[in-house]
């Protein structure tokens, strides 16, 4: 089987986003303001948590991953800054990163499955009810998520991983090392045993 590789703009940003996740970005740097129209007309862009301003050759020699997002909405904030809502379509491996003349990063990326081959409707053991409570108490989350698939265990556990104030290194473990069931137990222990 051949893995399809795409070349997409890379946005280094400390945002952890899993498939189905939505977040609002505030865009003010000129190079990223130029990126948004390209992303809307094209195939989106990749949010990469790691800082890329270091030596690109050393970055390209280490395994990088990111969240491939599509722009689902945009508007000007009250302070005049562009606000862009993005939704994660897939996680991607980043194979190579280059920098163009506008100092915008681009990467060759390929998708990989997150928590593949597990039952999407596995029980959520009360995690969905507590997640709905969190969403209902946050006007921004209520605005971003018009639909909450609370019976989809993958979706529920992924949203908890995004929302919990954990170190990035801890969250990264659930991208490829730990499986869905370990992630679910980890979240359950935090929510119900604290």
């Amino acid at each position: 089987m051949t893995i399809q590789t795409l070349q997409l703009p890379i946005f280094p940003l400390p945002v952890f986003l899993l498939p189905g996740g939505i977040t609002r970005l505030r865009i003010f740097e000129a190079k990223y303001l130029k990126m948004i129209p390209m992303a809307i007309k094209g195939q989106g862009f990749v949010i990469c948590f790691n800082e890329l301003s270091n030596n690109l050759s050393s970055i390209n020699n280490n395994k990088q991953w990111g969240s491939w997002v599509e722009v689902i909405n945009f508007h000007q904030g009250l302070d005049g800054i562009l606000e862009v809502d993005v939704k994660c379509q897939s996680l991607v491996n980043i194979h190579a990163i280059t920098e163009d003349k506008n100092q915008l990063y681009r990467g060759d990326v390929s998708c990989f499955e997150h928590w593949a081959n597990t039952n999407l409707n596995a029980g959520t053991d009360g995690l969905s009810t507590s997640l709905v409570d969190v969403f209902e108490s946050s006007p921004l989350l209520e605005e971003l998520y018009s639909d909450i698939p609370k019976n989809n265990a993958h979706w529920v556990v992924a949203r908890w991983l995004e929302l919990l104030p954990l170190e990035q290194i801890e969250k990264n473990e659930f991208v490829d090392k730990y499986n869905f069931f370990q992630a679910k137990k980890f979240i359950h222990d935090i929510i119900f045993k604290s």
Side-chain angles (χ1 to χ4, degrees), residues 26 29 42 55 99 101 107 118 127 137 174 192:
R26 289 169 51 80
E29 283 187 67
N55 184 336
E99 188 174 0
K101 63 181 180 181
T118 56
L127 291 176
S137 68
F174 294 102
F192 295 110

Side-chain angles (χ1 to χ4, degrees), residues 64-175:
Q64 299 285 320
W65 70 274
S67 305
W68 177 16
V69 299
E70 63 178 323
V71 176
I72 58 172
N73 195 11
F74 60 92
H75 58 276
Q76 191 173 24
L78 295 175
D79 56 2
I81 292 178
L82 177 65
E83 295 183 340
V84 179
D85 298 342
V86 296
K87 182 175 184 179
C88 181
Q89 306 177 75
S90 175
L91 298 184
V92 293
N93 286 315
I94 303 171
H95 306 290
I97 298 173
T98 57
E99 188 174 0
D100 70 16
K101 63 181 180 181
N102 299 313
Q103 298 180 313
L104 184 65
Y105 297 108
R106 296 184 175 277
D108 294 332
V109 304
S110 60
C111 297
F112 67 90
E113 277 195 87
H114 184 238
W115 295 336
N117 304 318
T118 56
N119 185 352
L120 291 175
N121 296 313
T124 56
D125 300 330
L127 291 176
S128 60
T129 304
S130 53
L131 183 65
V132 168
D133 291 343
V134 170
F135 275 47
E136 288 176 350
S137 68
S138 167
L140 177 58
L141 288 174
E142 274 200 310
E143 183 183 343
L144 292 176
Y145 291 94
S146 58
D147 179 40
I148 301 176
K150 58 185 178 185
N151 293 324
N152 180 324
H154 277 208
W155 192 91
V156 169
V157 172
R159 299 302 72 80
W160 270 121
L161 277 174
E162 292 165 356
L163 292 171
L164 285 173
L166 302 170
E167 292 292 328
Q168 177 70 15
I169 194 165
E170 233 177 334
K171 292 183 179 193
N172 281 350
E173 294 293 316
F174 294 102
V175 170

